[in-house]
Amino acid sequence: MTEPTTRSTAEEERAQRHTGSASLSTAPREPQLPQLGALGMARWAWRQLTSMRTALFLLLLLSVAAVPGSVFPQRNIDAGRVADYLAQNPATGRWLDRFGFFDVYASPWFSAIYLLLFVSLIGCILPRSRQHLRSLRSTPPRAPARLARLDEHVEVTTSLSPPDALEAARTALRARRFRVHSHDAGTLSAESGYLRESGNLLFHLALTGIIVGMAVGHLFGWRGDLILAEGDEFASSATTYNTFSPGPLVGDDAVPGFVMQLDDLDVQFIETPGRSFGTPREFTAHVTVADTPGAPPREADIAVNHPLVIQGSDVFLLGNGYTPVITVRDAAGQVLYREATPFLAQDGNYRSVGVVKVPSASPKQLGFTGFFLPTAEPTFANGPVSIFPDAQNPELALSVWEGTLFPGGAPQSVYTLNTEQMTQVARDDGQPALVRLKPGQTYELPGGRGSITFEEVKRFAGLSIRTDPGAPVSLVSALLATLGLILGLTIKRRRVFVRVRSAQDEGATGPRATVVTVGGLSKDSDPGLAAIVHAIGAAVHDPDAERTDRS
């Protein structure tokens, strides 16, 4: 009896080993993912770039990248403030300048963002446009079998025949600008709101147009800024502007050669005591312009937000300030310097800073730096302070330096004084020489260095002359973007289905009647859908019929 048992046990062991090996051989393998080649990686990158999520992210990134343009001074708007910032922050300013924070909108990283946004928008628009055209040519889908399962529905019993009920529903739907199609004799399918997608596409196309307008303006536009004092004349050319920023495709011959003289700068401030005291009320530059050299002059006015157009170029009034007329003489009385020197306002009361450089002085060059105060606080108890922006008590407060004005011959801003190789001039008692002058007064410099005279005060106008051929494109695109946004936000995409059947088919007795079921759905939240569904139901309902709402 033991031998069969032993044989049976051995057979069971062999069977278990066979079963184990079979189970091992049929164990599920891990999936082998396909390897993406260069073409696959390129296709994946393109799909990521042209997705709507990426486009929205780039649009947000573009708005964030524009923030430094409003935080830091920009060269194309106020080169003097940029130079002043670099002088006051030499360490951080050098790195900010290296990364383009003072010329944000022309920097490579800002250009890269809006170029990527442009490509992303094009990649989004093209497939969506094809899909939208197909949907415009297609018919609404068939009516579902159970309209009661839709978001909004109503069932009406009417004495109209099924064809008449469908025709009444068709008329009501078309009156509400639905596109209607009948797939069979007992149903209607209607759809509206195609302008919603048209508005979305128009919005994206308009954003592309704004980017194109910016690119056209950058490539073919130019900008020149200058400071023009009262009584001075300016002849326009590429070399006569204080700062000139041409586009990459702009030549010197694109700058119009007009001549302009600033006759008077009318500036008015509120003098009534209160919270608005000292607030500017009006800025108007009265100029005489000759559109071309030798042309008859004409008088014109330039005001804030009211530029002057000369040969297709817009002349904007960006700012104003004071240019004290300062004369520096040597010990023999010879004039070394006499100019209307612009001082840049630092606060609302026009406490202005400026620099006078006299490289022809000997034996050492002279430099003056300090403040112009339109209405000086006479005691200087809190330092040189102006208490009102108009020139009611003008005064100059300057310190005197001597040495090398331009170390190493390097160029520098006319609004800053590099004192690395200069020393402050002292009086006979050893204290620093501080100059305080009112119009008409003269200060004798210590040590027989000559004298400085404050002759008079003039105003200056900060003018910006620009040509931007992309501005009309950007303006039209902005208007179209607004229209597209309105269409996309106000129009709802709706589908309404109507199904009719005879009440006698369901075993009803009595007069012949038709059961009409109306159902509607929308792509998103739509408070007006229920009213439309009930209105279609009411259109096929007669006063004697029974009506049952199931919405």
Side-chain angles (χ1 to χ4, degrees):
M1 295 296 292
T2 59
E3 184 177 354
T5 304
T6 304
R7 185 181 298 114
S8 176
T9 302
E11 290 176 355
E12 288 178 0
E13 291 177 353
R14 287 196 298 271
Q16 288 178 359
R17 286 197 299 271
H18 178 74
T19 304
S21 62
S23 63
L24 289 175
S25 61
T26 58
R29 296 179 179 179
E30 293 187 0
Q32 297 293 325
L33 297 178
Q35 297 295 324
L36 288 178
L39 183 60
M41 289 297 296
R43 186 181 293 112
W44 176 84
W46 173 255
R47 289 177 178 174
Q48 295 299 315
L49 178 61
T50 57
S51 66
M52 184 58 62
R53 178 177 58 187
T54 302
L56 292 175
F57 173 76
L58 288 173
L59 190 62
L60 176 63
L61 186 61
L62 189 69
S63 62
V64 173
V67 171
S70 59
V71 174
F72 299 101
Q74 301 295 295
R75 278 196 176 89
N76 61 345
I77 296 177
D78 194 341
R81 289 187 59 197
V82 173
D84 186 53
Y85 186 95
L86 291 173
Q88 295 180 8
N89 305 273
T92 58
R94 184 176 69 255
W95 285 100
L96 291 173
D97 193 18
R98 182 174 298 178
F99 288 108
F101 280 79
F102 301 116
D103 202 3
V104 169
Y105 306 109
S107 62
W109 49 270
F110 190 85
S111 301
I113 294 174
Y114 73 71
L115 286 176
L116 284 174
L117 178 61
F118 176 78
V119 175
S120 179
L121 288 174
I122 293 297
C124 291
I125 290 170
L126 290 179
R128 288 184 62 176
S129 298
R130 290 196 298 266
Q131 183 179 0
H132 185 50
L133 289 175
R134 284 197 298 267
S135 65
L136 289 176
R137 292 195 299 266
S138 63
T139 58
R142 289 180 175 275
R146 295 177 177 82
L147 298 182
R149 294 182 178 180
L150 299 183
D151 297 340
E152 300 290 344
H153 65 277
V154 65
E155 189 173 282
V156 177
T157 301
T158 178
S159 59
L160 297 175
S161 64
D164 292 340
L166 283 179
E167 186 61 31
R170 186 193 307 271
T171 302
L173 287 168
R174 286 179 173 171
R176 288 164 176 79
R177 299 183 180 180
F178 278 81
R179 191 173 62 175
V180 185
H181 182 76
S182 179
H183 290 276
D184 52 56
T187 63
L188 282 180
S189 300
E191 196 168 16
S192 71
Y194 293 98
L195 281 179
R196 178 187 178 91
E197 182 63 16
S198 300
N200 290 331
L201 290 173
L202 179 62
F203 175 75
H204 288 84
L205 282 171
L207 286 182
T208 307
I210 292 175
I211 296 175
V212 170
M214 292 173 58
V216 171
H218 174 69
L219 293 175
F220 299 97
W222 60 271
R223 173 176 178 157
D225 299 325
L226 71 143
I227 290 178
L228 191 61
E230 291 176 323
D232 289 354
E233 193 174 70
F234 169 75
S236 175
S237 69
T239 59
T240 54
Y241 290 93
N242 297 134
T243 60
F244 183 67
S245 302
L249 302 181
V250 174
D252 293 344
D253 56 346
V255 180
F258 61 87
V259 179
M260 180 171 57
Q261 177 178 314
L262 179 60
D263 301 322
D264 179 56
L265 183 61
D266 186 12
V267 181
Q268 298 180 14
F269 300 94
I270 297 176
E271 300 186 27
T272 305
R275 298 181 62 182
S276 300
F277 179 74
T279 303
R281 187 168 55 187
E282 180 183 358
F283 296 109
T284 304
H286 305 286
V287 298
T288 300
V289 179
D291 291 343
T292 57
R298 59 186 176 93
E299 295 183 352
D301 293 337
I302 310 173
V304 178
N305 297 326
H306 291 84
L308 173 65
V309 180
I310 306 176
Q311 297 189 44
S313 300
D314 297 321
V315 183
F316 293 90
L317 177 63
L318 293 186
N320 69 96
Y322 293 96
T323 57
V325 180
I326 300 172
T327 301
V328 179
R329 295 179 174 88
D330 61 12
Q334 183 178 357
V335 175
L336 303 177
Y337 177 96
R338 190 181 192 278
E339 287 186 17
T341 307
F343 278 60
L344 301 181
Q346 303 297 301
D347 57 25
N349 286 326
Y350 281 54
R351 178 176 179 260
S352 307
V353 298
V355 170
V356 176
K357 300 177 183 181
V358 190
S360 58
S362 62
K364 295 182 180 180
Q365 296 176 337
L366 291 177
F368 303 82
T369 180
F371 300 94
F372 170 77
L373 311 171
T375 304
E377 192 279 320
T379 65
F380 275 32
N382 297 314
V385 176
S386 176
I387 58 177
F388 191 71
D390 208 356
Q392 297 180 354
N393 182 32
E395 187 171 346
L396 276 174
L398 305 173
S399 60
V400 188
W401 298 77
E402 65 177 2
T404 303
L405 287 172
F406 305 97
Q412 57 181 259
S413 171
V414 296
Y415 304 105
T416 58
L417 181 66
N418 188 340
T419 60
E420 290 180 3
Q421 298 182 15
M422 304 188 77
T423 57
Q424 192 167 6
V425 175
R427 301 192 307 241
D428 294 337
D429 59 1
Q431 297 297 319
L434 298 178
V435 180
R436 290 186 60 178
L437 294 173
K438 292 183 179 297
Q441 293 181 347
T442 299
Y443 178 86
E444 296 293 335
L445 299 176
R449 293 176 175 87
S451 64
I452 179 172
T453 303
F454 182 10
E455 304 283 354
E456 60 176 328
V457 180
K458 292 183 178 181
R459 292 185 184 273
F460 74 78
L463 301 177
S464 179
I465 295 89
R466 310 176 191 175
T467 296
D468 187 1
V473 178
S474 298
L475 175 61
V476 173
S477 299
L479 296 176
L480 292 177
T482 304
L483 176 61
L485 191 62
I486 292 174
L487 293 176
L489 293 177
T490 57
I491 295 178
K492 302 295 184 181
R493 187 71 180 270
R494 296 162 174 157
R495 286 177 178 173
V496 175
F497 304 99
V498 180
R499 184 179 294 276
V500 298
R501 65 183 186 276
S502 176
Q504 280 72 19
D505 295 341
E506 299 178 355
T509 59
R512 186 173 181 83
T514 301
V515 178
V516 181
T517 306
V518 183
L521 57 87
S522 180
K523 291 190 70 174
D524 47 21
S525 177
D526 187 0
L529 180 63
I532 292 177
V533 171
H534 285 74
I536 303 304
V540 298
H541 182 259
D542 62 7
D544 299 328
E546 176 188 2
R547 182 173 183 272
T548 305
D549 278 355
R550 299 180 183 177
S551 58

